C-alpha cells in the first residue's frame, strides 16, 4: 500500500499541467496534514513536477527533459527580471531559444521572430500581437502593461506575456548573462546523469541475511551493498569485510556499517569523486533528500563521467577557462601568464583568487602530462610575497616533490618581473580505476 507521501505525489502528477495547487488544497483533498502536504510539494518541486512562481503561486509543470538543460524556460526568465506574469501561464515551462529586441518596424521584426523566442518590447500593442501570432512570447519593459486583448491572446496561444520595470538594455544584459550561466552549468556534470538507478542495481534490506549477501555477491561486480529499512530509507552499507566469519543465518542489520557515506543526485561528479578518492570508496549510495535510496554510483561511473566531460567542447567561459587559456607553456618545466585587467582588483594588482586559480591550473597541467590520469586538488597553501601588477608577465615553475599511487604534492613558485612573487604547496589526489 502506498504511503501518504507517495499518494500525494501521485495526486500531483494527476493534476493538469498549468493548474495551481497549494498545501491547503492537497491537505483537504487527501485528508492529510498540511505538514505532510508541504513536504510532498517540496519533493515534487525537486523532481520537476511543480514550480513556485513569484506573485503567481505553485504551478503544476511538465518535467523538464534532460536535453533541454542548456536552455532557459520562460518561468526562469520571469524570476531573473523580477517581472510579473500578465498572461499565458501555461507556456511558462517552454524553453527560450533566443531573444529579440523590438527596436524596429513590424515588417522588419518578422524575419527575426521564431517559435519560442522572446520579443523584448515597449508599449506597442500591434507589435505585441504580431509577436504572439508568430510564436514568440512577449516581455514589456518600462513597467507598461498589456491590454486585455493581448492577455486573452496569450492565454489562447499559451505564450507568456510578462512585464518588468527595467529598461530594455538592462533586461537584455540580464538575460544574456543568464544564458551564459546556463551553458556553463550544462558543462558541470551531476551525479543524476551518471548513477545507476535502483531498478538496475542490487541492495539489501535489514531483515536479509548474510546468505542473501553471498548470493548477491555472485551476481555483481562490486562487494558493497546499500542496506535499506522502512520505506526504502538508507540505514547502512555492508561489505565483504563485515561478513567475514559470520553464519549464513545472521541478519544484515547485525553486521552492517551504520551511517555510511552517501551522495544525492544533485551533487557534482567532481565533489563525489573527491570523497571517493579520500575515503577509498568503491561504491556510494545515492539518496533523495528524505534519505530514500535512489541507486548507487561506482568509481567506474565517476571515471567514465570525468573522461567524457574532458572530451566535450566548452560552450560557456568561466574565469577558470579564461585563466587556463591564458597560461602558455614556456618549456617542459615552466609556464607563462600575462596579467590582464579582468584579473586585477580595484588597486591594479592581481586578485588573490585569480592567483590561486593560476597555481591550481599549473598543477593540473604538470600532473596531467606526467600521469595521464584524472586528479582533484585537495589543498592549496599559497603565500603572496610581492605585489603583482597589471600587465606583468608571470613565470610559473611547478615541481613535484612527493608522489604516490593515490596522491601527489607540488611546490609551485610564481616569478614576476621583480623576482619571486608567490609560493605555494599544492596537494592533489589522483583518481584511478580500481
Amino acid at each position: 500500500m502506498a504511503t501518504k507521501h507517495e499518494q500525494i505525489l501521485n495526486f500531483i502528477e494527476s493534476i493538469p499541467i498549468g493548474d495551481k495547487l497549494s498545501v491547503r488544497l492537497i491537505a483537504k483533498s487527501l485528508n492529510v496534514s498540511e505538514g505532510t502536504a508541504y513536504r510532498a510539494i517540496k519533493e515534487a518541486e525537486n523532481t520537476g513536477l511543480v514550480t513556485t512562481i513569484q506573485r503567481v503561486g505553485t504551478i503544476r509543470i511538465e518535467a523538464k527533459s534532460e536535453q533541454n538543460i542548456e536552455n532557459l524556460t520562460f518561468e526562469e526568465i520571469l524570476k531573473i527580471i523580477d517581472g510579473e506574469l500578465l498572461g499565458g501561464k501555461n507556456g511558462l515551462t517552454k524553453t527560450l531559444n533566443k531573444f529579440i529586441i523590438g527596436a524596429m518596424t513590424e515588417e522588419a521584426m518578422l524575419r527575426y521572430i521564431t517559435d519560442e523566442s522572446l520579443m523584448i518590447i515597449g508599449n506597442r500593442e500591434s507589435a505585441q500581437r504580431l509577436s504572439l501570432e508568430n510564436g514568440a512570447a512577449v516581455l514589456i519593459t518600462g513597467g507598461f502593461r498589456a491590454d486585455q486583448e493581448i492577455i486573452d491572446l496569450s492565454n489562447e496561444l499559451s505564450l507568456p506575456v510578462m512585464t518588468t520595470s527595467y529598461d530594455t538594455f538592462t533586461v537584455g544584459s540580464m538575460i544574456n548573462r543568464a544564458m551564459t550561466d546556463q551553458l556553463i552549468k550544462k558543462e558541470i556534470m551531476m551525479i543524476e546523469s551518471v548513477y545507476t538507478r535502483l531498478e538496475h542495481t542490487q541492495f539489501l534490506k535489514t531483515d536479509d541475511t548474510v546468505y542473501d549477501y553471498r548470493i548477491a555477491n555472485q551476481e555483481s561486480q562490486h562487494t558493497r551493498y546499500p542496506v535499506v529499512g522502512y520505506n526504502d530509507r538508507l540505514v547502512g552499507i555492508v561489505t565483504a569485510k563485515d561478513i567475514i566469519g559470520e553464519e549464513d543465518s545472521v541478519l544484515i542489520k547485525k553486521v552492517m556499517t551504520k551511517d555510511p557515506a552517501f551522495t544525492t543526485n544533485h551533487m557534482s561528479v567532481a565533489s563525489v569523486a573527491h570523497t571517493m578518492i579520500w575515503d577509498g570508496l568503491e561504491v556510494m549510495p545515492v539518496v533523495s533528500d528524505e534519505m530514500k535510496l535512489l541507486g548507487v554510483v561506482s568509481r567506474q561511473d565517476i571515471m567514465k563521467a570525468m573522461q567524457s566531460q574532458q572530451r566535450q567542447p566548452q560552450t560557456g567561459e568561466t574565469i577558470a577557462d579564461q585563466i587556463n587559456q591564458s597560461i602558455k607553456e614556456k618549456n617542459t618545466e615552466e609556464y607563462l601568464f600575462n596579467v590582464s585587467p579582468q584579473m586585477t582588483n580595484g588597486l591594479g594588482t592581481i586578485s588573490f583568487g585569480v592567483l590561486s586559480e593560476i597555481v591550481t591550473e599549473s598543477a593540473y597541467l604538470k600532473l596531467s602530462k606526467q600521469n595521464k590520469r584524472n586528479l582533484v586538488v585537495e589543498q592549496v597553501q599559497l603565500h603572496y610575497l610581492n605585489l603583482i601588477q597589471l600587465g606583468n608577465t608571470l613565470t610559473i615553475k611547478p615541481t613535484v616533490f612527493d608522489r604516490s599511487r593515490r596522491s601527489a604534492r607540488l611546490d609551485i613558485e610564481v616569478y614576476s618581473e621583480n623576482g619571486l612573487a608567490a609560493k605555494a604547496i599544492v596537494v592533489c589526489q589522483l583518481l584511478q580505476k580500481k
Side-chain angles (χ1 to χ4, degrees):
M1 183 178 176
T3 63
K4 289 183 178 179
H5 188 82
E6 291 169 339
Q7 290 174 15
I8 296 172
L9 291 177
N10 292 335
F11 174 75
I12 292 173
E13 285 191 78
S14 68
I15 295 175
I17 293 171
D19 280 16
K20 294 179 66 173
L21 65 154
S22 65
V23 169
R24 187 169 297 175
L25 170 68
I26 292 175
K28 185 177 180 181
S29 300
L30 298 181
N31 195 26
V32 297
S33 69
E34 292 190 359
T36 303
Y38 175 78
R39 287 190 293 272
I41 286 179
K42 294 306 291 183
E43 181 172 337
E45 187 170 16
N46 292 334
T47 55
L49 292 176
V50 300
T51 188
T52 301
I53 303 171
Q54 192 174 8
R55 301 188 183 94
V56 176
T58 302
I59 304 294
R60 170 75 168 95
I61 63 171
E62 187 174 2
K64 300 175 189 176
S65 56
E66 208 167 299
Q67 62 269 25
N68 288 331
I69 190 171
E70 70 273 17
N71 294 325
L72 291 169
T73 62
F74 290 117
E75 66 174 284
E76 290 166 335
I77 294 295
L78 193 64
K79 295 176 184 177
I80 291 165
I81 62 172
D82 192 25
E84 180 183 351
L85 181 68
L86 301 178
K89 73 175 183 180
N90 290 344
L92 283 172
T93 56
K94 294 179 179 178
T95 54
L96 170 68
N97 293 326
K98 68 175 184 180
F99 67 89
I100 310 142
I101 295 177
M104 59 190 86
T105 64
E106 293 176 18
E107 183 179 352
M109 283 181 186
L110 283 173
R111 75 182 74 168
Y112 299 105
I113 297 175
T114 59
D115 287 341
E116 297 188 2
S117 58
L118 176 67
M119 177 61 72
I120 302 175
I121 201 166
N123 191 23
R124 295 170 58 188
E125 182 181 342
S126 59
Q128 294 166 11
R129 182 184 298 104
L130 180 70
S131 300
L132 291 170
E133 289 173 347
N134 286 274
V138 173
L139 172 56
I140 305 171
T141 57
F144 294 107
R145 303 185 72 82
D147 292 341
Q148 188 60 45
E149 182 183 345
I150 296 296
I151 295 174
D152 292 340
L153 181 60
S154 72
N155 289 328
E156 179 186 339
L157 299 175
S158 294
L159 287 170
V161 171
M162 302 169 280
T163 182
T164 179
S165 59
Y166 292 113
D167 63 272
T168 301
F169 177 80
T170 302
V171 166
S173 300
M174 294 166 74
I175 296 176
N176 188 60
R177 175 59 186 270
M179 292 176 77
T180 302
D181 289 347
Q182 198 77 359
L183 290 173
I184 293 171
K185 286 167 64 178
K186 175 179 178 286
E187 294 301 305
I188 301 174
M189 194 169 291
M190 312 303 284
I191 290 297
E192 182 179 16
S193 61
V194 302
Y195 81 97
T196 303
R197 268 59 175 178
L198 193 61
E199 58 268 23
H200 300 301
T201 189
Q202 292 179 307
F203 62 95
L204 297 171
K205 297 184 177 181
T206 51
D207 54 358
D208 285 337
T209 64
V210 169
Y211 178 76
D212 294 316
Y213 170 89
R214 294 191 169 110
I215 294 297
N217 203 30
Q218 293 174 4
E219 304 171 355
S220 178
Q221 296 179 350
H222 55 83
T223 59
R224 298 171 63 91
Y225 299 96
V227 182
V228 299
Y230 174 73
N231 202 23
D232 290 339
R233 289 171 61 89
L234 179 70
V235 295
I237 197 163
V238 62
T239 69
K241 186 189 299 184
D242 296 324
I243 59 99
I244 291 176
E246 299 290 346
E247 297 291 334
D248 285 351
S249 59
V250 175
L251 294 178
I252 288 295
K253 64 182 178 182
K254 299 289 186 181
V255 297
M256 70 179 185
T257 301
K258 297 180 180 179
D259 301 321
F262 61 87
T263 179
T264 58
N265 57 7
H266 48 74
M267 290 188 68
S268 70
V269 167
S271 63
V272 175
H274 180 275
T275 302
M276 294 184 78
I277 296 168
W278 185 255
D279 295 334
L281 301 178
E282 178 189 349
V283 171
M284 280 184 71
V286 181
V287 300
S288 67
D289 293 336
E290 291 77 28
M291 290 299 293
K292 187 174 181 178
L293 183 65
L294 301 177
V296 298
V297 62
S298 67
R299 183 175 297 187
Q300 188 174 9
D301 295 332
I302 295 291
M303 281 293 298
K304 287 180 180 178
M306 295 186 74
Q307 288 169 355
S308 65
Q309 191 173 23
Q310 290 174 352
R311 292 193 293 265
Q312 290 179 2
Q314 184 67 34
T315 54
E317 273 199 356
T318 64
I319 291 294
D321 294 324
Q322 295 175 26
I323 292 172
N324 183 260
Q325 293 168 12
S326 300
I327 296 178
K328 308 298 181 184
E329 188 173 350
K330 182 179 180 181
N331 52 52
T332 56
E333 302 296 329
E334 297 177 347
Y335 301 94
L336 297 177
F337 182 86
N338 188 59
V339 181
S340 63
Q342 293 106 328
M343 306 297 174
T344 60
N345 55 29
L347 302 175
T349 58
I350 194 169
S351 164
F352 189 81
V354 170
L355 183 58
S356 299
E357 192 63 41
I358 293 170
V359 167
T360 301
E361 287 294 336
S362 63
Y364 273 110
L365 292 171
K366 182 73 173 179
L367 286 175
S368 60
K369 277 194 168 185
Q370 293 186 0
N371 294 277
K372 306 293 183 185
R373 291 187 290 182
N374 295 299
L375 59 99
V376 177
V377 172
E378 171 68 27
Q379 186 178 17
V380 178
Q381 295 179 359
L382 175 60
H383 301 277
Y384 198 171
L385 305 178
N386 288 306
L387 293 178
I388 299 173
Q389 299 182 35
L390 170 65
N392 284 8
T393 298
L394 306 182
T395 301
I396 305 113
K397 298 181 179 179
T399 304
V400 180
F401 66 88
D402 182 39
R403 182 169 51 202
S404 65
R405 185 173 59 88
R406 291 178 53 188
S407 66
R409 288 189 287 177
L410 297 89
D411 176 81
I412 299 178
E413 296 178 337
V414 179
Y415 291 87
S416 184
E417 296 179 0
N418 297 324
L420 184 63
K423 193 174 178 65
I425 301 294
V426 180
V427 181
C428 298
Q429 297 293 329
L430 305 178
L431 181 62
Q432 58 183 341
K433 290 183 180 180
K434 188 169 182 178

